[in-house]
Amino acid sequence: MTEYERSRTMPAQPEHVFDQAANVGRLDSWLPEALHVEAEELPAVTVHEDRTDEDTSALLRARRDQMRLEWGTRDQGGYAGWLQVAGLDGGASEVTVHLSFFDDGHDPGERAVTDALDTSLRRLEEQVRLHVDHAAG
């Protein structure tokens, strides 16, 4: 099993950050650009990966009371992950994303995963900023 984790501080209340992250209809706005999530009957979702042109059955659960998203493959134990939002002083939040690959065949490698996590966190922060600025303006 291989695990990866990245964090980023965002300038918004944790509830706002979580709401942006957990919006199933807007996951494509911050997930890696090669991944697309289609909601079925939640928590069931289908994840399409452009790199392999494959669809994978997965689960996605939002636990708002814990400010946590959890996901993983449904039929095979290829990978799982979570996103946790924690409040910081001054109205900011820290977002941590963790991925676990149980099958080496699903693990694209450390550089690819850490780059994807960093990019996803940056894209999520952009979405959060857009909505905070829009709400304030």
Side-chain angles (χ1 to χ4, degrees), residues 44-89:
V45 296
T46 298
V47 178
H48 179 80
E49 185 176 352
D50 291 345
R51 182 176 59 92
T52 60
D53 197 32
E54 292 181 4
D55 290 334
T56 302
S57 296
L59 297 172
L60 174 68
R61 288 189 177 87
R63 303 182 187 281
R64 193 170 204 292
D65 60 325
Q66 299 173 12
M67 297 287 153
R68 185 177 179 92
L69 284 178
E70 298 172 339
W71 61 85
T73 50
R74 211 175 2 177
D75 300 328
Q76 71 278 19
Y79 66 88
W82 50 261
L83 176 144
Q84 182 73 54
V85 181
L88 301 173
D89 291 339

Side-chain angles (χ1 to χ4, degrees), residues 11 16 27 29 38 41 46 50 55 79-80 88 113 124-125 134:
H16 182 75
L27 290 174
S29 70
E38 183 178 318
E41 202 170 307
T46 298
D50 291 345
D55 290 334
Y79 66 88
L88 301 173
V113 174
L124 178 57
E125 182 179 5
H134 181 71

Side-chain angles (χ1 to χ4, degrees), residues 4-49:
Y4 303 97
E5 189 170 292
R6 304 298 276 184
S7 296
R8 186 175 184 105
T9 301
M10 300 191 186
Q13 295 290 331
E15 296 81 7
H16 182 75
V17 174
F18 182 80
D19 288 345
Q20 291 300 311
N23 183 336
V24 176
R26 299 206 28 90
L27 290 174
D28 283 2
S29 70
W30 66 269
L31 285 177
E33 293 176 350
L35 294 179
H36 309 282
V37 177
E38 183 178 318
E40 296 170 15
E41 202 170 307
L42 291 175
V45 296
T46 298
V47 178
H48 179 80
E49 185 176 352

